Structure formats: C-alpha cells, structure tokens
Amino acid sequence: MTSFFIFFFTITFFSVSVSSQLDEFTYNGFNDPKINISLSGVAQIDKNGILQLTYETTRLMGHSFFPSPLQFKNSTNGTAFSFSTCFAFVIVPEYPKLGGHGFAFTISPSQNFKSALPSQYLGMLNSTDVGNFSNHLFAVEFDTVQDFEFGDINDNHVGVDINSMVSNKSAAAAYFTDDSMKNDLNLKSGKPILAWIEYNSVTNVIDVTLSPSSTKPRLPLLSYQMDLSPIIEETMYVGFSASTGLLASSHYVLGWSFKMNGDANSLNLGSLPSLPGPKKKNKEAIITGSVLATVFVLTSIIFAFFLIRKIKNADKIEDWELEIGPHRYSYQELKQATRGFKDSELLGFGGFGRVYKGTLRNPRTEVAVKRISHESRQGVREFLSEISSIGRLRHRNLVQLLGWCRRGADLLLVYDFMPNGSLDKFLFDNPKSVLNWEQRFRIIKGVASGLLYLHEGYEQVVLHRDVKASNVLLDGELNGRVGDFGLARLYDHGSNPNTTRVVGTLGYLAPELPRTGRATTSSDVFAFGAMLLEVVCGRRPIEHKAGPEELVLVDWVWDHWRDGTIFNVVDQKLNGEFDRNEVVMVLKLGLMCSKNVPLARPTMRQLVSYLEGEAEISDILTSPGGGCGTSGVDGGFDDFLHSYASSSFEKTSSFTVMDKSFASVSTSPLALINSSGEAR
Ligand SMILES: *[C@@H]1O[C@H](CO)[C@@H](O)[C@H](O)[C@H]1NC(C)=O
Ligand SMILES: *[C@@H]1O[C@H](CO)[C@@H](O)[C@H](O)[C@H]1NC(C)=O
Ligand SMILES: *[C@@H]1O[C@H](CO)[C@@H](O)[C@H](O)[C@H]1NC(C)=O
Ligand SMILES: *[C@@H]1O[C@H](CO)[C@@H](O)[C@H](O)[C@H]1NC(C)=O
Ligand SMILES: *[C@@H]1O[C@H](CO)[C@@H](O)[C@H](O)[C@H]1NC(C)=O
Ligand SMILES: *[C@@H]1O[C@H](CO)[C@@H](O)[C@H](O)[C@H]1NC(C)=O
C-alpha cells in the first residue's frame, strides 16, 4: 500500500514538473528576467515588458518563439495532442486605416525563418515554398491587408493557414456576445484584443475566438475541422511571426499562455503591461502637460513658419496627395538616392522616361527610380490616382511599385531594383550571358502568372498594353517580373499634344488594335505570344536585318511548323540543349496567341494552365482550318495596312493616338509594308 502511494506520488510529481517546464507556460508580460523567449528579426522586448514583433517601417519581419521545441504528438501512435493558447495583442498601424501586414500564431518545425519573406508572407513562407506539404506549418493569421494573390476576404480577417498563405478557412474579425450577437472587431484599432486558439484531438476541431475584453465568449469566431496529425511533426516550436510591407504597423504581444492537453491559463487584460497611451490626468501631469504644450506650440509655430517658407519655395503638397496609397518619398530623399539623377546612375530609357538606379538609406535598399515629365496639371492628379491603384498590385512576378514623389511637373516612381535588368538584354544581339532553356521556361511561366494576376487577380482588369521582352525584368534569381504595367493607360489621361504616345510596340501589336484603337486582354495575349516566340528563337518579332522571308518572326515560325522543321527556329545559342516537349508547347502557344481573331486566342488563365502542365493543348493548331497559318497572319497585316491608310482620313481620337504611336516607331511601318509586300 505504502509503496503504491510512493509510486503514485512519484508519477504525479514527475508529470507535473515536466508539464510545467515543457508543456505549459503563462507570461503576464515579458519583463520577468526568468522568462526565456527567443527573438529574431526585429522582434524585441520593450522597456514595459511588451513583446514588439515589428515597428512602423516597411518590409520588416519579427519572430518570437518559445525557446525549446514542444512534444506535439503521442510518439506511440502518432496522433497530434490537443493544445490551447491564449494571447493578448495590439496592432498599431502607421496610418489609421491601413494595416501592414499582420502577424500569425505559428507552430513550425524550426524557428529559423531566414528564407521567409515579409509583406503578404507574414515572415513565415516564401514564394517557392508556399503551399508545399513539406513545410509542416500550422498558423492562425491576423491579417490586415487584403492580398488577392492569396484570396484574402478583406483587410481585417483571421484565418487558419496550413502550409500556405491561402487560408483553409477565414472569417472577418469579430466576436460574439453572450446573447450570440456578432460584433465587428477592428484588428488594427490600437487597442488590446484577446485571442484563444484551441485544438481538440478527439473531435479534430480548431477553434479561434476573439474578444476585446478579458472574458472569453462562449462562441468561437471560427471553427475548422481538420486532423492536424499529418501536418504537425513530433516536436514543434510555438510562437509568433509578423511582417510589414509597403505599409507598416507595430505588432505587439502583451501576454501569452499555452498548454498542451488542457486549457491554457486565462489572461487578464488589466494585469498585462499596456502600451503608453494618452496620459492620465492628475495634477502633475496637467502641469507638465501644459509646460510641454507651450513648448510644443512655440516649436510648432517656428516649425510651421519654416515649413510654409519651404513649401512656398519648393513645392506645394496638396491634401489629396497625402491620401495616395503607396509611400510618398520626399524629393530630397530620391535626389540623394540617385546622386542627383546623375547620368552615371542611369539604368535606361523606359517607354515613359528615364530610369535611374538609387540607394535609399534607412533601411538601405536598392531601388529603380523612374522619372516622368508631365505637363498637364489635371493629368497629374488622375495619374496619381492610378498610381495608388497600381501600388496595391502585389504579385511575385510583378516589379513592385514602392512609392512615388511629385515635384512640379516631374513624377518619380520608385520600384524594386531588379539586379539582372531586362530580358531582351539576354536574348538579342550579343547577350551578356545566355539563358539556358530551364531558365527561359521559368521566366515564361513567371510572366504568364504575373499577367494572369493583372487580368484576373485584382478588383479591376489591369491591361498591360506593352508586353515585350524589354518590359520583363529579371530579379536576383532570374525570375521573370513584369514591369511598366498600368502605365500605358495612365498616359492616356494626360493631354499633351506634343508628347508622342507609344500605345504598344510594333511587332507586338495585335492586328485589331489599329482598327479599334481599344486594348483588351486579348491584345495583351497577342503581345505575350510574340514574347514567347522571342524567348524560344532568340530573335525580335520583326528583324530588320533579316532576309524578307525571315522578317516577321511569326510567319517564319509558322512556315517551319508547317514544313515539320520546327526545331530549326530554336535559338542556336542553346546548342540544342532543351526539352523538346516544352519547346514545342511554347511555340504552339506562341502561334495560338498570334491568331488574327481575338476570340481565337487563349486567355492568360488557359496559358498558365497549359504552361504548368495542368491542361493539354488541343491539336487545333496543326489542322489547316485552325484560323492561324499564313493566310491568318497575312490578314493581320492586311488589317494593319488598311487601318494605317484609313487613319489619315478618319480623325477620331483613337486613330490620332495610333497614328502618333506609329510615327514614333520611326520608319518601320512603311519599311515593313514595303518589304513584306515584295516578299509575297
Ligand atoms: C533559454 O532556453 C534555451 C533553450 O531551452 C537554452 O538553450 C538557453 O540556455 C536558455 N537561456 C536562458 C538564459 O535560460
Ligand atoms: C499514446 O497512445 C497510446 C496508445 O493509444 C496510449 O496508451 C498512451 O497512453 C498515449 N500516451 C500519451 C502520453 O497520451
Ligand atoms: C492514440 O492515442 C490516444 C490516447 O492517448 C487516442 O485518443 C487516439 O485515438 C489514438 N489514436 C489512434 C490512431 O489510435
Ligand atoms: C524558400 O524557403 C525554403 C525553406 O523553407 C528554402 O529552401 C528556399 O530556398 C527558399 N526560397 C527562396 C526563393 O528564398
Ligand atoms: C516541396 O519541398 C520539398 C523539400 O523542400 C521539395 O523537394 C519539393 O520539390 C517541393 N514541392 C513543390 C511542389 O514545390
Ligand atoms: C487545406 O489544408 C490542406 C492540408 O491538409 C491543404 O492540402 C489544402 O490545400 C488546404 N485547402 C485550402 C483551400 O487551402
């Protein structure tokens, strides 16, 4: 009997001490020196004992984890344990209504997030591992930016994420009161919010509950049934991951409790450290307050005086300019970054102006600064409203717009710097280095998914209007990224008759464009097709130096296709090293996109699924009645000829626009018509 009791007590004592060390913890604030928590990225414990994951600076990541891994599974039968956690957080955004980006409660096999990305990836994943089952990542995101790429429901939601940033289930932030009334909750209100996350290993249900007060609502905000056993590994780290993007917030955790196989201790908002908010009104505070206020008023007056002088001298910032979404840089900052727009920093001449390389300080970032001169005042305003919507477009295959600046008639657009420059530099003339087929194919797939996002991923359809190899930029890893998107349309807003408008580039212009003057997703597809052929053949769509039968790339490729000698068109520089199936597919798609009839061309969505091998291309192309072929292509040039001629009679605005764009391509239109005429 005695020995039984000793045995019993030993067991009980042992299990309690183990669990209190490893399976359970409660932190009412983080300033107790005994608290051992690991911090990485910009995460820190502030002097009030608050865990601060990020602060209000763009593109940061902050992580904080319980330092040792926890046993998350029964090692005998491999079933994930039940667990529960409770934490209090505060999100303080830089601008009251715009969050950036959010944070997540994270259960992960490692606490090394060096290869993760900030912004929409919340510091947990990157563009290559997102969605991969081998991540073994479970997270509950508290997301304050709506990312269309990941199908976010709004910019204030909670979601259960498994191995991916696409939530398995999400809900707009809210909480239930006892009478089951649902109340909206603003995650980025700057006020503390309590969150409970619970997993029951018997029912396999994950419950997420929110509340602005210390009492836990009876009803969870969202429940998701899923057995976590295949996701979770035997030992895992628990903690938090947060990131900022173009817009930034401070993400704070005030207190945190966790328990395996049981209910985590509840937290009381009243006994947690609080953020320094508005001062309490006692006598002392009032006196110090009024002294401070006087000093402040005096300083403000002096400051305002200088500011007014400065604005008068330099540039007037109008109210509406402050409302534009992406970051507004100061002119001085950009001038400094580009060393006064020195010629030595010039990266090139885009369709819309000069592009300079710049280095921003603090944080030190390399950027590309595009300088556009614009004279019409009205135009500038519309231009900027477009920029705010372009700034919201985010995709791994787009060159991200980071911000902008206006000074008088000059508009400066700040983009991510792309170290490898544009694709055309790798393809034509004497390329600086030759891309192998694998790299080319990856670039093609990247550009396709970037264009699909522009066409379908955003609130409104965004047409590129000038897809071509020189508008595809390559990042450090040679991923293709679409640049200059949205700008062609912007330029229509201005009304400066002296500016030559390039509404596309000869050789990439869909045949219907000169006739209708209206760009569509199909005309972008046409240009994408021309680009596909360029990448495979290493040739421009119209090669002036070539003989007449090789002048127009599509015709030349089609001739070889018909004659069964298709591999003759493949870039010689590849030395015959390529995947024949992929090359044939890309050429086929290039020809399909080059069809004369817009409706006969595939959509970007279809192109992406062909390229990703999700769908088979029908053999319609190989049959003579397929609507392509020499006659179809010739028809294209007939249209071209026709509209070129008729534009001198019809004085509609669209023709005027097109007329100018042709005029700007120097002598090529006439040269083209003449030589192709001779050739036939
Ligand atoms: C904190 O925990 C880690 C992992 O358990 C351990 O290696 C480290 O020595 C601890 N540090 C302190 C100060 O206790
Ligand atoms: C693990 O599972 C086995 C088999 O179902 C069971 O006997 C054992 O008690 C479990 N261990 C724990 C720690 O739950
Ligand atoms: C594993 O063991 C736990 C008890 O520890 C039990 O609840 C669970 O059903 C078991 N799972 C399997 C697959 O046997
Ligand atoms: C993404 O993260 C994985 C590790 O999770 C890493 O192996 C890979 O190299 C990363 N990819 C990039 C592009 O950084
Ligand atoms: C998932 O990740 C593993 C290991 O990092 C890698 O081998 C595999 O190719 C990845 N799968 C996909 C579909 O990216
Ligand atoms: C949900 O989670 C599973 C993991 O088991 C994953 O394979 C699946 O793609 C996810 N579904 C969605 C819609 O994200």
Side-chain angles (χ1 to χ4, degrees):
M1 196 64 189
T2 334
S3 66
F4 171 74
F5 267 111
I6 290 170
F7 176 72
F8 181 78
F9 276 115
T10 319
I11 293 285
T12 318
F13 177 76
F14 185 65
S15 65
V16 165
S17 65
V18 163
S19 72
S20 69
Q21 267 180 2
L22 286 177
D23 291 327
E24 176 179 6
F25 52 85
T26 304
Y27 300 145
N28 281 298
F30 297 86
N31 48 4
D32 186 335
K34 273 180 288 182
I35 290 177
N36 184 359
I37 188 159
S38 55
L39 302 168
S40 66
V42 299
Q44 55 173 6
I45 309 284
D46 77 3
K47 57 183 190 304
N48 298 315
I50 295 172
L51 169 57
Q52 179 170 22
L53 294 166
T54 65
Y55 46 90
E56 287 152 38
T57 297
T58 52
R59 287 164 192 260
L60 299 177
M61 289 192 279
H63 303 107
S64 179
F65 281 82
F66 187 72
S68 45
L70 302 181
Q71 179 77 26
F72 257 91
K73 265 186 178 175
N74 180 332
S75 42
T76 324
N77 72 3
T79 312
F81 290 140
S82 297
F83 61 82
S84 80
T85 186
C86 172
F87 52 89
F89 66 91
V90 178
I91 300 178
V92 182
E94 188 178 5
Y95 304 106
K97 286 181 190 156
L98 299 167
H101 249 256
F103 78 100
F105 170 74
T106 311
I107 302 182
S108 151
S110 119
Q111 34 175 344
N112 174 357
F113 288 89
K114 291 213 165 59
S115 49
L117 295 175
S119 302
Q120 66 268 41
Y121 297 95
L122 300 182
M124 298 193 291
L125 294 171
N126 64 34
S127 53
T128 48
D129 65 5
V130 69
N132 191 325
F133 196 75
S134 70
N135 292 335
H136 291 282
L137 178 84
F138 170 84
V140 175
E141 61 172 39
F142 295 77
D143 194 344
T144 57
V145 175
Q146 183 172 21
D147 286 296
F148 297 94
E149 184 186 351
F150 297 134
D152 283 354
I153 51 169
N154 66 12
D155 62 355
N156 185 47
H157 66 272
V158 178
V160 174
D161 296 351
I162 290 167
N163 294 328
S164 169
M165 298 310 301
V166 181
S167 299
N168 277 62
K169 185 159 183 184
S170 59
Y175 66 100
F176 288 96
T177 49
D178 283 343
D179 49 4
S180 306
M181 281 277 292
K182 195 173 188 176
N183 299 283
D184 291 341
L185 193 56
N186 181 4
L187 295 177
K188 47 187 180 290
S189 63
K191 301 203 179 87
I193 294 173
L194 269 178
W196 293 262
I197 296 163
E198 293 152 308
Y199 172 65
N200 183 325
S201 66
V202 176
T203 56
N204 292 334
V205 171
I206 301 149
D207 280 336
V208 182
T209 314
L210 298 185
S211 170
S213 70
S214 301
T215 34
K216 184 181 171 196
R218 207 167 31 86
L219 290 176
L221 168 62
L222 76 84
S223 291
Y224 179 61
Q225 187 169 28
M226 156 112 212
D227 181 3
L228 291 184
S229 304
I231 312 300
I232 281 182
E233 292 189 329
E234 196 155 320
T235 62
M236 301 280 276
Y237 289 89
V238 284
F240 301 94
S241 175
S243 73
T244 66
L246 191 62
L247 295 164
S249 304
S250 292
H251 297 95
Y252 299 98
V253 178
L254 309 177
W256 177 28
S257 65
F258 182 90
K259 185 170 176 150
M260 200 69 79
N261 288 316
D263 288 335
N265 283 332
S266 52
L267 300 175
N268 185 347
L269 285 178
S271 53
L272 297 177
S274 52
L275 290 175
K279 288 233 167 69
K280 284 193 192 111
K281 280 196 179 149
N282 55 35
K283 261 190 200 162
E284 225 173 303
I286 290 174
I287 294 167
T288 7
S290 50
V291 171
L292 281 179
T294 321
V295 173
F296 178 75
V297 168
L298 284 177
T299 333
S300 320
I301 291 172
I302 296 167
F303 182 72
F305 176 74
F306 280 107
L307 191 71
I308 288 168
R309 265 184 54 172
K310 198 171 169 205
I311 288 177
K312 269 199 180 149
N313 292 346
D315 203 13
K316 204 165 161 225
I317 298 170
E318 295 172 30
D319 285 349
W320 54 266
E321 291 192 40
L322 297 173
E323 287 161 20
I324 306 291
H327 187 70
R328 186 187 200 279
Y329 289 95
S330 76
Y331 183 75
Q332 280 310 321
E333 204 176 350
L334 297 184
K335 193 172 164 189
Q336 216 165 48
T338 56
R339 305 192 196 182
F341 302 101
K342 233 186 180 167
D343 279 351
S344 63
E345 305 302 296
L346 202 59
L347 290 172
F349 300 86
F352 302 92
R354 290 162 162 247
V355 186
Y356 297 86
K357 181 175 174 187
T359 310
L360 295 174
R361 301 171 176 182
N362 224 348
R364 212 181 145 78
T365 349
E366 294 196 312
V367 292
V369 180
K370 180 167 291 204
R371 185 174 193 155
I372 304 170
S373 284
H374 204 283
E375 276 143 41
S376 128
R377 223 187 129 55
Q378 186 54 33
V380 169
R381 186 166 184 161
E382 280 158 349
F383 202 117
L384 288 182
S385 87
E386 288 286 344
I387 283 169
S388 88
S389 70
I390 294 176
R392 268 183 248 129
L393 297 169
R394 278 188 194 94
H395 189 275
R396 62 180 171 276
N397 295 111
L398 297 182
V399 181
Q400 180 71 46
L401 176 70
L402 300 174
W404 61 281
C405 164
R406 178 181 75 88
R407 182 182 158 100
D410 274 347
L411 281 165
L412 301 165
L413 300 182
V414 182
Y415 289 95
D416 266 346
F417 175 66
M418 294 290 127
N420 280 313
S422 58
L423 175 60
D424 60 331
K425 302 264 168 19
F426 286 86
L427 293 178
F428 313 130
D429 306 327
N430 295 310
K432 46 185 180 184
S433 78
V434 176
L435 298 170
N436 65 30
W437 173 249
E438 204 184 313
Q439 291 166 327
R440 294 186 196 207
F441 193 52
R442 196 154 52 94
I443 292 166
I444 288 171
K445 290 199 281 193
V447 172
S449 85
L451 288 173
L452 171 61
Y453 174 75
L454 290 179
H455 286 180
E456 296 187 17
Y458 194 54
E459 296 151 325
Q460 76 219 46
V461 175
V462 178
L463 299 179
H464 188 290
R465 310 231 249 166
D466 202 6
V467 179
K468 56 178 170 179
S470 60
N471 275 339
V472 170
L473 295 159
L474 302 180
D475 65 15
E477 286 141 15
L478 290 173
N479 292 306
R481 295 192 183 217
V482 180
D484 259 3
F485 47 89
L487 290 190
R489 202 177 94 144
L490 289 181
Y491 233 69
D492 278 359
H493 286 312
S495 49
N496 181 349
N498 299 323
T499 322
T500 312
R501 288 177 213 188
V502 183
V503 185
T505 304
L506 197 68
Y508 301 86
L509 276 186
E512 73 275 10
L513 260 177
R515 190 158 20 89
T516 61
R518 239 187 69 223
T520 58
T521 52
S522 313
S523 55
D524 273 359
V525 165
F526 185 93
F528 177 71
M531 197 208 83
L532 290 182
L533 300 182
E534 280 179 303
V535 174
V536 180
C537 307
R539 275 197 35 184
R540 293 176 202 282
I542 291 174
E543 195 77 76
H544 296 280
K545 280 176 260 162
E549 66 283 350
E550 292 185 16
L551 178 82
V552 179
L553 182 58
V554 191
D555 283 2
W556 184 60
V557 174
W558 177 256
D559 287 346
H560 280 282
W561 181 273
R562 204 189 34 205
D563 299 347
T565 52
I566 193 62
F567 291 112
N568 291 355
V569 306
V570 180
D571 193 349
Q572 301 288 317
K573 295 188 283 298
L574 286 172
N575 288 325
E577 286 166 23
F578 50 82
D579 181 316
R580 292 168 82 92
N581 291 332
E582 286 172 1
V583 161
V584 167
M585 167 169 72
V586 173
L587 287 170
K588 231 166 162 181
L589 292 178
L591 291 173
M592 280 163 77
C593 295
S594 305
K595 285 188 183 178
N596 200 13
V597 183
L599 285 177
R601 295 172 205 148
T603 62
M604 282 318 302
R605 179 168 292 280
Q606 288 168 325
L607 286 166
V608 167
S609 58
Y610 293 141
L611 287 168
E612 295 295 341
E614 289 159 6
E616 290 272 314
I617 309 173
S618 65
D619 262 349
I620 206 157
L621 186 67
T622 48
S623 65
C628 187
T630 319
S631 64
V633 174
D634 276 350
F637 287 106
D638 284 350
D639 284 351
F640 178 88
L641 243 170
H642 172 77
S643 68
Y644 184 72
S646 62
S647 66
S648 44
F649 306 117
E650 292 183 48
K651 286 296 166 205
T652 66
S653 63
S654 64
F655 280 118
T656 321
V657 170
M658 294 313 298
D659 206 8
K660 281 212 172 62
S661 88
F662 289 157
S664 75
V665 204
S666 68
T667 56
S668 19
L670 281 175
L672 168 72
I673 290 156
N674 286 343
S675 32
S676 73
E678 275 164 21
R680 308 269 151 207

